[in-house]
Protein backbone atom coordinates (compact mmCIF):
# COMPACT_ATOMS: atom_id res chain seq x y z
CA UNK A 1 0.00 0.00 0.00
CA UNK A 2 2.91 2.35 0.73
CA UNK A 3 3.64 3.30 -2.89
CA UNK A 4 -0.02 3.75 -3.77
CA UNK A 5 -1.80 7.07 -3.22
CA UNK A 6 -4.37 6.94 -0.44
CA UNK A 7 -7.74 6.81 -2.05
CA UNK A 8 -9.95 8.68 0.38
CA UNK A 9 -9.63 10.79 3.51
CA UNK A 10 -12.04 11.56 6.27
CA UNK A 11 -11.22 13.69 9.27
CA UNK A 12 -12.12 14.62 12.79
CA UNK A 13 -12.05 18.32 13.60
CA UNK A 14 -12.22 19.56 17.15
CA UNK A 15 -10.38 19.02 20.37
CA UNK A 16 -9.10 15.46 20.44
CA UNK A 17 -10.48 13.88 23.62
CA UNK A 18 -7.91 11.64 25.32
CA UNK A 19 -5.95 11.33 22.07
CA UNK A 20 -8.40 10.10 19.52
CA UNK A 21 -10.02 6.74 20.18
CA UNK A 22 -12.25 7.28 17.14
CA UNK A 23 -9.27 7.57 14.78
CA UNK A 24 -7.85 4.32 16.16
CA UNK A 25 -11.20 2.56 15.79
CA UNK A 26 -11.87 3.88 12.27
CA UNK A 27 -8.42 3.04 10.95
CA UNK A 28 -8.76 -0.51 12.32
CA UNK A 29 -12.12 -0.85 10.57
CA UNK A 30 -10.75 0.53 7.26
CA UNK A 31 -8.00 -2.10 7.39
CA UNK A 32 -10.47 -4.83 8.34
CA UNK A 33 -12.70 -3.92 5.36
CA UNK A 34 -9.63 -3.63 3.09
CA UNK A 35 -10.46 0.00 2.31
CA UNK A 36 -7.54 2.23 1.43
CA UNK A 37 -8.93 5.14 3.43
CA UNK A 38 -7.39 7.25 6.19
CA UNK A 39 -8.93 9.04 9.18
CA UNK A 40 -7.05 12.12 10.33
CA UNK A 41 -7.36 14.00 13.60
CA UNK A 42 -7.09 17.75 12.96
CA UNK A 43 -7.08 20.12 15.91
CA UNK A 44 -8.73 23.27 14.56
CA UNK A 45 -9.09 26.36 16.77
CA UNK A 46 -12.57 27.92 16.72
CA UNK A 47 -11.39 31.02 14.84
CA UNK A 48 -9.99 28.88 12.00
CA UNK A 49 -13.08 26.80 11.34
CA UNK A 50 -14.15 28.81 8.27
CA UNK A 51 -10.76 28.34 6.61
CA UNK A 52 -10.65 24.71 7.68
CA UNK A 53 -14.00 24.09 5.98
CA UNK A 54 -12.75 25.75 2.79
CA UNK A 55 -9.79 23.36 3.03
CA UNK A 56 -12.15 20.45 3.63
CA UNK A 57 -13.80 21.20 0.26
CA UNK A 58 -10.54 22.04 -1.53
CA UNK A 59 -8.86 18.80 -0.45
CA UNK A 60 -11.87 16.72 -1.42
CA UNK A 61 -12.31 15.01 1.96
CA UNK A 62 -15.02 12.37 1.86
CA UNK A 63 -16.43 13.20 5.25
CA UNK A 64 -15.62 14.10 8.82
CA UNK A 65 -16.53 14.03 12.46
CA UNK A 66 -16.85 17.26 14.39
CA UNK A 67 -16.44 17.57 18.14
CA UNK A 68 -16.43 20.36 20.71
CA UNK A 69 -16.22 23.33 19.98
CA UNK A 70 -17.40 22.94 16.36
CA UNK A 71 -20.63 20.94 16.52
CA UNK A 72 -22.91 23.99 16.22
CA UNK A 73 -20.66 26.48 14.43
CA UNK A 74 -19.89 24.12 11.54
CA UNK A 75 -23.53 24.23 10.40
CA UNK A 76 -23.08 27.61 8.67
CA UNK A 77 -20.43 26.09 6.35
CA UNK A 78 -22.57 23.13 5.23
CA UNK A 79 -24.99 22.76 2.31
CA UNK A 80 -27.70 20.79 4.13
CA UNK A 81 -28.70 18.92 7.29
CA UNK A 82 -30.49 15.69 8.12
CA UNK A 83 -33.77 16.07 10.01
CA UNK A 84 -32.19 14.93 13.28
CA UNK A 85 -29.22 17.32 12.98
CA UNK A 86 -31.55 20.18 12.14
CA UNK A 87 -33.72 19.55 15.20
CA UNK A 88 -30.69 19.11 17.47
CA UNK A 89 -28.94 22.15 16.04
CA UNK A 90 -25.69 20.18 16.19
CA UNK A 91 -23.63 18.10 13.76
CA UNK A 92 -21.06 15.45 14.65
CA UNK A 93 -20.72 13.88 11.21
CA UNK A 94 -20.44 15.39 7.73
CA UNK A 95 -20.94 13.44 4.56
CA UNK A 96 -20.21 14.57 1.00
CA UNK A 97 -23.07 13.83 -1.39
CA UNK A 98 -22.61 14.92 -5.03
CA UNK A 99 -20.11 17.53 -3.90
CA UNK A 100 -22.45 18.90 -1.21
CA UNK A 101 -21.58 18.83 2.49
CA UNK A 102 -24.46 17.32 4.47
CA UNK A 103 -24.50 17.46 8.28
CA UNK A 104 -25.68 14.47 10.31
CA UNK A 105 -25.79 13.63 13.97
CA UNK A 106 -24.96 10.01 14.71
CA UNK A 107 -24.64 10.19 18.54
CA UNK A 108 -28.36 9.72 19.16
CA UNK A 109 -28.63 7.05 16.47
CA UNK A 110 -25.77 5.17 18.12
CA UNK A 111 -27.62 5.24 21.43
CA UNK A 112 -30.90 4.09 19.89
CA UNK A 113 -29.11 1.18 18.26
CA UNK A 114 -27.71 0.15 21.65
CA UNK A 115 -31.12 0.47 23.28
CA UNK A 116 -32.67 -1.73 20.60
CA UNK A 117 -30.48 -4.63 21.74
CA UNK A 118 -32.61 -4.66 24.91
CA UNK A 119 -35.98 -3.03 24.11
CA UNK A 120 -37.82 -1.34 21.24
CA UNK A 121 -37.77 2.43 21.90
CA UNK A 122 -41.40 2.93 20.88
CA UNK A 123 -43.70 3.01 23.90
CA UNK A 124 -40.92 3.44 26.49
CA UNK A 125 -41.24 6.06 29.22
CA UNK A 126 -37.82 7.71 29.41
CA UNK A 127 -35.98 9.82 31.98
CA UNK A 128 -32.78 11.56 30.85
CA UNK A 129 -30.47 13.22 33.33
CA UNK A 130 -28.64 16.08 31.62
CA UNK A 131 -29.52 18.52 28.86
CA UNK A 132 -26.19 19.03 27.07
CA UNK A 133 -25.09 17.78 23.67
CA UNK A 134 -25.39 14.06 24.45
CA UNK A 135 -28.83 14.45 26.07
CA UNK A 136 -30.02 16.54 23.13
CA UNK A 137 -28.84 13.98 20.55
CA UNK A 138 -30.30 11.01 22.43
CA UNK A 139 -33.65 12.59 23.27
CA UNK A 140 -34.32 13.93 19.76
CA UNK A 141 -33.47 10.55 18.22
CA UNK A 142 -35.70 8.77 20.75
CA UNK A 143 -38.50 11.18 19.84
CA UNK A 144 -37.98 10.43 16.15
CA UNK A 145 -38.08 6.69 16.99
CA UNK A 146 -41.50 6.63 18.60
CA UNK A 147 -40.80 7.54 22.23
CA UNK A 148 -43.63 9.85 23.27
CA UNK A 149 -42.96 10.42 26.96
CA UNK A 150 -39.62 12.02 27.88
CA UNK A 151 -38.61 13.70 31.14
CA UNK A 152 -35.47 15.82 31.13
CA UNK A 153 -33.82 16.22 34.53
CA UNK A 154 -31.26 18.99 34.58
CA UNK A 155 -29.41 21.08 37.14
CA UNK A 156 -29.67 24.30 35.11
CA UNK A 157 -33.32 25.07 34.45
CA UNK A 158 -32.87 27.27 31.34
CA UNK A 159 -30.81 24.64 29.53
CA UNK A 160 -33.28 21.94 30.43
CA UNK A 161 -36.25 24.02 29.30
CA UNK A 162 -34.58 24.77 25.97
CA UNK A 163 -34.27 21.05 25.28
CA UNK A 164 -37.83 20.35 26.40
CA UNK A 165 -39.03 22.97 23.90
CA UNK A 166 -37.09 21.26 21.09
CA UNK A 167 -38.63 17.88 22.02
CA UNK A 168 -42.18 19.20 22.24
CA UNK A 169 -41.85 20.29 18.61
CA UNK A 170 -41.52 16.64 17.52
CA UNK A 171 -44.88 15.17 16.49
CA UNK A 172 -46.38 13.02 19.25
CA UNK A 173 -43.74 13.81 21.90
CA UNK A 174 -44.65 15.14 25.33
CA UNK A 175 -41.55 16.29 27.18
CA UNK A 176 -41.36 17.74 30.67
CA UNK A 177 -38.60 19.22 32.80
CA UNK A 178 -37.68 18.33 36.37
CA UNK A 179 -35.00 20.57 37.81
CA UNK A 180 -32.37 18.50 39.56
CA UNK A 181 -32.40 19.24 43.26
CA UNK A 182 -30.94 16.55 45.53
CA UNK A 183 -31.33 12.87 44.64
CA UNK A 184 -33.78 12.37 41.80
CA UNK A 185 -36.62 9.93 42.46
CA UNK A 186 -37.62 7.94 39.40
CA UNK A 187 -41.39 7.30 38.98
CA UNK A 188 -42.22 3.62 39.09
CA UNK A 189 -43.76 3.56 35.59
CA UNK A 190 -40.51 4.79 33.98
CA UNK A 191 -38.90 2.10 31.81
CA UNK A 192 -35.59 3.68 30.66
CA UNK A 193 -33.25 5.86 32.75
CA UNK A 194 -30.25 7.50 31.06
CA UNK A 195 -27.33 9.35 32.57
CA UNK A 196 -26.37 11.87 29.86
CA UNK A 197 -24.19 14.04 32.11
CA UNK A 198 -20.42 13.78 32.32
CA UNK A 199 -20.62 12.50 35.92
CA UNK A 200 -18.49 9.35 36.01
CA UNK A 201 -16.11 10.35 33.23
CA UNK A 202 -12.66 9.29 34.43
CA UNK A 203 -13.99 8.54 37.91
CA UNK A 204 -15.41 5.10 38.60
CA UNK A 205 -16.74 6.20 42.00
CA UNK A 206 -18.53 9.40 40.92
CA UNK A 207 -22.17 9.33 41.93
CA UNK A 208 -25.08 10.41 39.74
CA UNK A 209 -27.66 12.13 42.01
CA UNK A 210 -30.32 9.43 41.82
CA UNK A 211 -32.31 7.75 44.58
CA UNK A 212 -31.29 4.13 43.91
CA UNK A 213 -34.26 2.83 45.88
CA UNK A 214 -36.49 4.08 43.06
CA UNK A 215 -34.75 1.92 40.42
CA UNK A 216 -36.56 -1.35 39.77
CA UNK A 217 -35.73 -4.54 37.87
CA UNK A 218 -38.13 -3.64 35.01
CA UNK A 219 -35.98 -0.65 34.09
CA UNK A 220 -33.16 -0.30 31.59
CA UNK A 221 -30.41 1.98 32.95
CA UNK A 222 -27.96 3.47 30.46
CA UNK A 223 -24.89 5.64 30.80
CA UNK A 224 -23.27 7.77 28.07
CA UNK A 225 -19.95 7.76 29.91
CA UNK A 226 -17.64 5.29 28.18
CA UNK A 227 -14.45 5.53 30.22
CA UNK A 228 -14.66 3.73 32.53
CA UNK A 229 -17.54 1.83 30.92
CA UNK A 230 -18.80 0.22 34.14
CA UNK A 231 -19.73 3.39 35.95
CA UNK A 232 -20.91 3.48 39.53
CA UNK A 233 -24.45 4.11 38.26
CA UNK A 234 -24.38 0.94 36.13
CA UNK A 235 -22.91 -1.13 38.94
CA UNK A 236 -25.56 0.14 41.36
CA UNK A 237 -28.30 -0.46 38.78
CA UNK A 238 -27.10 -4.03 38.23
CA UNK A 239 -27.35 -4.61 41.97
CA UNK A 240 -30.97 -3.50 41.71
CA UNK A 241 -31.34 -6.11 38.92
CA UNK A 242 -31.87 -3.52 36.17
CA UNK A 243 -30.61 -4.25 32.67
CA UNK A 244 -27.76 -1.88 31.81
CA UNK A 245 -26.16 -0.31 28.72
CA UNK A 246 -22.70 1.24 28.77
CA UNK A 247 -21.48 4.26 26.81
CA UNK A 248 -18.99 2.19 24.81
CA UNK A 249 -21.84 0.62 22.85
CA UNK A 250 -23.14 4.06 21.87
CA UNK A 251 -19.65 5.22 20.88
CA UNK A 252 -19.04 2.15 18.73
CA UNK A 253 -22.49 2.34 17.14
CA UNK A 254 -22.17 6.00 16.17
CA UNK A 255 -18.82 5.15 14.57
CA UNK A 256 -20.35 2.19 12.72
CA UNK A 257 -23.07 4.50 11.37
CA UNK A 258 -20.55 7.19 10.31
CA UNK A 259 -18.36 4.58 8.61
CA UNK A 260 -21.33 3.27 6.63
CA UNK A 261 -22.45 6.80 5.68
CA UNK A 262 -19.02 7.62 4.23
CA UNK A 263 -17.99 4.34 2.65
CA UNK A 264 -21.28 2.52 2.00
CA UNK A 265 -19.63 -0.51 3.57
CA UNK A 266 -20.82 -2.18 6.81
CA UNK A 267 -17.88 -2.51 9.22
CA UNK A 268 -17.75 -5.22 11.88
CA UNK A 269 -18.82 -3.59 15.18
CA UNK A 270 -16.89 -6.16 17.22
CA UNK A 271 -13.64 -5.16 15.47
CA UNK A 272 -14.33 -1.53 16.31
CA UNK A 273 -15.20 -2.26 19.93
CA UNK A 274 -12.06 -4.33 20.33
CA UNK A 275 -9.95 -1.49 18.90
CA UNK A 276 -11.60 0.98 21.26
CA UNK A 277 -10.99 -1.22 24.30
CA UNK A 278 -7.38 -1.70 23.24
CA UNK A 279 -6.89 2.06 22.82
CA UNK A 280 -8.55 2.92 26.13
CA UNK A 281 -6.79 0.00 27.86
CA UNK A 282 -10.00 -1.32 29.36
P1 LIG B 1 -22.26 19.01 27.91
O1 LIG B 1 -21.22 19.82 28.57
O2 LIG B 1 -22.92 19.50 26.67
O3 LIG B 1 -23.44 18.71 28.99
C1 LIG B 1 -23.15 18.25 30.27
C2 LIG B 1 -24.45 17.96 31.03
O4 LIG B 1 -24.11 17.37 32.28
C3 LIG B 1 -25.27 19.21 31.35
O5 LIG B 1 -26.64 18.89 31.31
C4 LIG B 1 -24.84 19.52 32.79
O6 LIG B 1 -25.83 20.21 33.52
C5 LIG B 1 -24.69 18.13 33.36
N1 LIG B 1 -23.77 18.08 34.49
C6 LIG B 1 -22.42 18.17 34.47
N2 LIG B 1 -21.92 18.04 35.71
C7 LIG B 1 -22.98 17.87 36.54
C8 LIG B 1 -23.12 17.68 37.93
N3 LIG B 1 -22.05 17.64 38.74
N4 LIG B 1 -24.36 17.53 38.44
C9 LIG B 1 -25.45 17.56 37.65
N5 LIG B 1 -25.39 17.74 36.31
C10 LIG B 1 -24.17 17.89 35.76
O7 LIG B 1 -21.61 17.59 27.67
P2 LIG B 1 -22.01 16.49 26.59
O8 LIG B 1 -23.48 16.33 26.62
O9 LIG B 1 -21.35 16.78 25.29
O10 LIG B 1 -21.29 15.18 27.17
C11 LIG B 1 -21.80 14.54 28.34
C12 LIG B 1 -21.10 13.19 28.47
O11 LIG B 1 -21.50 12.37 27.37
C13 LIG B 1 -19.57 13.23 28.43
O12 LIG B 1 -19.10 12.39 29.45
C14 LIG B 1 -19.22 12.67 27.08
O13 LIG B 1 -17.99 11.98 27.09
C15 LIG B 1 -20.36 11.69 26.87
N6 LIG B 1 -20.61 11.36 25.48
C16 LIG B 1 -20.60 10.04 25.14
C17 LIG B 1 -20.85 9.66 23.85
C18 LIG B 1 -20.81 8.22 23.51
O14 LIG B 1 -20.83 7.90 22.32
N7 LIG B 1 -20.80 7.33 24.48
C19 LIG B 1 -21.12 10.64 22.78
C20 LIG B 1 -21.16 12.01 23.25
C21 LIG B 1 -20.90 12.33 24.56
P3 LIG B 1 -25.94 21.82 33.48
O15 LIG B 1 -26.73 22.15 32.24
O16 LIG B 1 -26.65 22.15 34.72
O17 LIG B 1 -24.52 22.35 33.44
Amino acid sequence: MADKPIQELVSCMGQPVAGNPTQFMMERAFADCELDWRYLTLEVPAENLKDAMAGFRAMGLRGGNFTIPHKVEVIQYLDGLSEAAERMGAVNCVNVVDGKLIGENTDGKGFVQSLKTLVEPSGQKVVIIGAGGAARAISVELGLNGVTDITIVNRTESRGQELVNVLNNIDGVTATLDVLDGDYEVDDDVTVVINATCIGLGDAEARVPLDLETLSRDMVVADVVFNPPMTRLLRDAQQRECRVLDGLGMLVNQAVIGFKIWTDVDPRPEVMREALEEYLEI
Side-chain angles (χ1 to χ4, degrees), residues 68 107 130-135 154-156 159 180 196-199 201 224-226 247 250-251 254:
I68 291 166
D107 281 338
N154 202 48
R155 187 177 57 176
T156 306
R159 204 175 189 193
L180 189 60
T197 72
C198 35
I199 300 170
L201 184 62
V224 295
V225 168
F226 58 86
M250 172 179 170
L251 188 61
Q254 64 81 26

